[in-house]
Amino acid sequence: MSVPACWNAASPAALLLPGLLLAGAAVAGPGNSFDLLVPEPPTAVRIEGRTVLGYELRLTNYAAHALDPVRIEVLAGDDVLASYQGEALETRIDRSGQQRDVKAGAPIEPGRHGVAFIDIGIGGGIVPAALVHRIAFVGADATGTLQEQVIEGGPAGVETDIGAPLSPPLHGGPWAAVSDTRWMRGHRRVGYALDGRLRTPGRYAVDWVKLDADGRRQPDDGELASDAYGHGEDVLAVAEGTVVKLQDGIAERRRLDERLDRDRARREGSGNTVVLDLGDGRFAHYAHLRPGSITIVEGQRVARGMKIAEVGFSGSASAPQLHFAITDGAEEHASEGRPFHFDAFELRGIYADPARAGRDAWGDPGAAAGPRTDEMPARGAVVRFPPGPG
């Protein structure tokens, strides 16, 4: 049996259970319950020597009464790869289906759905061909009595092709990969229903923030955006490609403590951006760039490692940072997020809570520390990329 893990390599993993039904649990009868759907196939990616599968499981309630999920198990054949219940489940399920906070343990009402955000580490190097899901929930039986019931469904084939390794989007470091499945409005958990289809563009998106040796984003007396260590750093093309979209001219905030009002945040969103078509069905998205720093034009071919812009503080960024994502389309919010891997980086540390990046020193990544090749950094990882020229 393999070991469950979440992308935050140092944070608590999925709760390990033996995979047995609770005593007295009843198998769901013929009545309506959840429709289980995996909208996008899990795709295998390497993180710190492990294979990780990240995907969403949608639970739509077709019963005439509310249903309360209490356990989700992920199965590969007879093996239980991961099991989530209690706190481990609550940190990974959106019970509203709309990225809105609801009370932990709140049931899913008739006609509504919830979404479970699953990240599983697979041990042994063997990637399962397919997954299925076992859901325990509390609902009314045929007599109207509330009891725990169990269903299985949500089959999903596993994909292994994530494309050729990319070169890093930045030089040097250390850079922290700021993202977390647990954040209600983090990239990982936000879907967009555009053009008649719900997508998750930020499934693998990262906000890269440069730190000093003490884990700070700027000196203690730093007050300006230009004081941030990452501000003005070169942004690089991760592969040969074509510029298919860019936005420039959005002013950035001068002070680090300046916040946007809701209307401006909605209008300016990603700030100054560049999108590269990598030519293999993948598109690289760069956001929050420094105004006036974009060095390319639409239609231009760019070389791998070429400078294309600089890190900035435009749009709704919480600090000077580089938002980076790979998706399957040129319009980020109307595309699906895709995994990626870098050809080389050095793992320096890890934040169990990525929200602490820039505030606290990072933790020890253990045996995974040092040079890594053909991998994607974990959420909360602190890495150093190869240095730039000179």
Side-chain angles (χ1 to χ4, degrees):
M1 184 181 298
S2 56
V3 179
C6 61
W7 279 36
N8 301 79
S11 63
L15 184 64
L16 286 172
L17 293 175
L20 301 176
L21 302 184
L22 294 180
V27 176
N32 276 346
S33 61
F34 284 120
D35 174 67
L36 305 179
L37 174 68
V38 176
E40 286 293 308
T43 303
V45 63
R46 297 291 290 174
I47 298 177
E48 297 179 10
R50 301 169 301 173
T51 298
V52 176
L53 304 174
Y55 63 99
E56 296 82 53
L57 172 66
R58 196 175 304 161
L59 301 84
T60 302
N61 181 3
Y62 281 91
H65 50 270
L67 303 175
D68 179 14
V70 295
R71 186 174 68 254
I72 295 177
E73 294 174 324
V74 183
L75 312 176
D78 294 330
D79 290 335
V80 179
L81 301 184
S83 185
Y84 305 94
Q85 69 177 18
E87 183 180 358
L89 176 62
E90 294 310 316
T91 59
R92 290 186 169 273
I93 189 169
D94 171 9
R95 292 174 176 269
S96 74
Q98 298 179 321
Q99 297 86 46
R100 287 191 295 106
D101 287 314
V102 296
K103 182 180 178 181
I108 296 174
E109 299 296 329
R112 300 294 296 271
H113 74 268
V115 183
F117 299 88
I118 297 175
D119 300 299
I120 308 171
I122 306 295
I126 300 176
V127 179
L131 305 174
V132 72
H133 301 84
R134 180 186 294 154
I135 311 301
F137 61 93
V138 175
D141 64 12
T143 68
T145 303
L146 288 177
Q147 67 171 359
E148 183 174 300
Q149 304 173 58
V150 177
I151 58 172
E152 288 190 7
V158 176
E159 296 186 354
T160 58
D161 183 10
I162 64 171
L166 306 175
S167 62
L170 298 154
H171 288 311
W175 295 91
V178 179
S179 177
D180 196 326
T181 302
R182 296 167 293 187
W183 297 339
M184 180 60 68
R185 295 299 299 174
H187 300 306
R188 174 72 172 88
R189 296 177 66 136
V190 179
Y192 294 87
L194 302 175
D195 302 326
R197 179 181 167 190
L198 178 66
R199 299 176 176 87
T200 306
R203 187 174 290 114
Y204 303 95
V206 171
D207 290 330
W208 291 104
V209 176
K210 192 173 186 181
L211 307 175
D212 67 7
D214 296 318
R216 299 175 301 181
R217 297 185 183 194
Q218 69 275 334
D220 290 337
D221 59 353
E223 298 179 346
L224 304 179
S226 57
D227 292 327
Y229 298 124
H231 189 266
E233 289 286 302
D234 290 349
V235 173
L236 313 172
V238 294
E240 182 179 332
T242 302
V243 182
V244 292
K245 182 181 177 182
L246 62 81
Q247 167 71 54
D248 200 354
I250 296 177
E252 62 181 1
R253 286 157 282 165
R254 180 173 176 270
R255 294 184 57 83
L256 291 168
D257 60 2
E258 182 182 351
R259 294 291 176 258
L260 301 182
D261 61 44
R262 182 174 299 180
D263 288 341
R264 184 179 172 190
R266 185 181 298 112
R267 290 195 311 271
E268 299 184 0
S270 299
N272 301 309
T273 59
V274 167
V275 182
L276 302 181
D277 181 352
L278 305 186
D280 57 358
R282 296 184 296 172
F283 294 78
H285 299 262
Y286 306 80
H288 307 307
L289 305 173
R290 188 172 72 82
S293 72
I294 297 174
T295 61
I296 51 180
V297 296
E298 287 191 24
Q300 180 178 343
R301 292 287 294 175
V302 298
R304 186 186 187 98
M306 174 180 171
K307 177 180 176 179
I308 59 174
E310 295 175 4
V311 175
F313 193 25
S314 61
S316 59
S318 59
Q321 61 193 34
L322 173 67
H323 169 86
F324 177 78
I326 297 292
T327 79
D328 63 2
E331 295 293 335
E332 184 174 4
H333 291 168
S335 59
E336 290 286 3
R338 296 296 183 222
F340 55 88
H341 50 171
F342 295 135
D343 50 15
F345 63 90
E346 180 186 0
L347 180 61
R348 289 290 187 90
I350 193 75
Y351 283 99
D353 179 1
R356 305 309 302 173
R359 302 177 184 179
D360 302 332
W362 57 77
D364 183 355
R372 311 299 306 182
T373 58
D374 296 344
E375 288 189 347
M376 181 164 61
R379 304 182 196 277
V382 179
V383 307
R384 179 172 287 277
F385 294 125

